[in-house]
Amino acid sequence: SMSGGAKLSDVQDTMYIATQFVEDVLAAQDSLKISYEPNKLSVNPFIEQTIYVAIMAVILGAKMKLSKDKLVKLCVATLLKDIALISPNVKIARDAVYMQHPILSYKYLKEKYAIDEEILEAILHHHERADGSGYPNKLKGEEINQLARIISVVDTFYEVKINHTMLGNTHGVLEENIKKIFQKLDMNVLGYFLKNVEIFTLDSMVILNNGDIGVIIKNNDRNPFKPCVKIVKSSYNLEGEIIDLFEHTNLGIKNITYYVS
């Protein structure tokens, strides 16, 4: 049913754009990696994050060998999943916004637009977690729409990268802390994600668990948490040394930093 100013052409345009993008990803999928790319678009951060999560979700879906049709649905679902948060046409109680928005996004799109039910279900489920800790319905495992399980992995990755305080102030290494956060997610999807992700942006500075500070110079396909770093500050006279963390089981990255004192 179409009402309230909604247009079928809006959906068709979105599907067309998603289809063109999916075709580009499929043509280049062997060379693509899932990565965090902030501050590249001249739009507000919320829209930028939505666009990049959609891009990376499609790349992850391609790595999982999803069909072209599924990838298009995945792209559209990711772009529209938070429509209730940004559309002035959706009435939402601001004090309960995060618990309500998957349901309200689902209902709004179902009522106003002719959208495939699998896309709508992915939108409804995108905050569900495989361990049952998500919302709105506390679904578990394969009760959750497959596309939503992919979205949640990429979305969680972006949230961790944007807000490092989510990782906590522990004595462990970043790998352990991130894996604790990801334990709530689908393990099958997470396996593909970890094989195809670049956790660290090249040239970013990191603190090692021995207190030394290094710069990421190369990511590692064998373990995304164990890149090659060039030491820039050291308590062990290692300045200028290039260390492959994969070859040093006792060394790991504790956190990301932005300056050297």
Side-chain angles (χ1 to χ4, degrees):
S1 64
M2 312 298 292
S3 59
K7 298 178 182 178
L8 182 60
S9 61
D10 295 339
V11 178
Q12 292 172 333
D13 289 347
T14 303
M15 294 293 288
Y16 175 78
I17 292 168
T19 300
Q20 295 301 304
F21 172 66
V22 165
E23 289 176 353
D24 289 343
V25 168
L26 289 173
Q29 62 180 299
D30 291 341
S31 63
L32 296 175
K33 285 284 189 180
I34 302 158
S35 61
Y36 169 66
E37 301 187 33
N39 305 320
K40 295 284 184 70
L41 305 175
S42 55
V43 295
N44 74 52
F46 183 88
I47 294 174
E48 179 181 62
Q49 183 178 349
T50 298
I51 292 170
Y52 273 114
V53 169
I55 292 170
M56 298 307 159
V58 170
I59 292 174
L60 176 54
K63 299 294 186 180
M64 295 173 63
K65 305 300 182 185
L66 265 60
S67 68
K68 178 181 173 182
D69 179 59
K70 286 264 190 181
L71 292 174
V72 171
K73 291 177 181 179
L74 174 60
C75 186
V76 173
T78 312
L79 291 171
L80 298 180
K81 64 185 174 61
D82 294 322
I83 191 70
L85 297 176
I86 59 176
S87 173
N89 297 321
V90 180
K91 304 303 180 186
I92 189 165
R94 293 297 167 187
D95 59 343
V97 62
Y98 291 107
M99 300 301 287
Q100 291 184 355
H101 83 266
I103 297 173
L104 294 176
S105 293
Y106 170 86
K107 288 182 176 179
Y108 173 73
L109 292 168
K110 187 176 180 66
E111 290 172 3
K112 303 294 184 183
Y113 294 89
I115 294 181
D116 182 274
E117 186 62 34
E118 188 173 10
I119 296 173
L120 292 172
E121 186 178 76
I123 291 168
L124 180 62
H125 292 180
H126 79 272
H127 273 292
E128 301 287 357
R129 296 295 178 258
D131 68 345
S133 65
Y135 59 87
N137 295 313
K138 297 190 179 299
L139 302 179
K140 291 184 178 181
E142 294 191 3
E143 294 175 341
I144 303 168
N145 175 282
Q146 182 190 31
L147 305 183
R149 284 180 268 149
I150 294 171
I151 293 168
S152 65
V153 169
V154 180
D155 222 7
T156 299
F157 174 57
Y158 263 66
E159 288 298 326
V160 168
K161 292 291 285 185
I162 289 168
N163 183 11
H164 297 306
T165 59
M166 283 181 66
L167 300 172
N169 233 349
T170 73
H171 296 295
V173 294
L174 199 64
E175 178 175 3
E176 296 169 357
N177 297 338
I178 289 178
K179 284 183 175 179
K180 286 177 184 176
I181 294 171
F182 277 76
Q183 282 175 355
K184 298 180 177 183
L185 306 177
D186 183 280
M187 289 296 107
N188 180 55
V189 176
L190 193 56
Y192 284 97
F193 170 81
L194 291 174
K195 289 177 183 176
N196 295 285
V197 67
E198 290 183 345
I199 297 287
F200 304 103
T201 305
L202 293 182
D203 298 325
S204 58
M205 279 198 301
V206 293
I207 303 172
L208 303 185
N209 59 335
N210 67 356
D212 285 2
I213 296 177
V215 174
I216 306 295
I217 62 170
K218 183 180 179 183
N219 280 293
N220 199 325
D221 290 336
R222 295 171 295 181
N223 184 331
F225 296 98
K226 293 279 193 174
C228 291
V229 300
K230 183 175 182 178
I231 304 300
V232 296
K233 183 178 180 181
S234 174
S235 301
Y236 308 95
N237 298 316
L238 296 176
E239 286 88 350
E241 293 279 338
I242 294 175
I243 297 177
D244 183 349
L245 294 178
F246 187 80
E247 304 294 342
H248 296 265
T249 56
N250 60 324
L251 280 180
I253 292 171
K254 183 170 183 177
N255 219 326
I256 297 167
T257 188
Y258 299 96
Y259 64 92
V260 178
S261 60

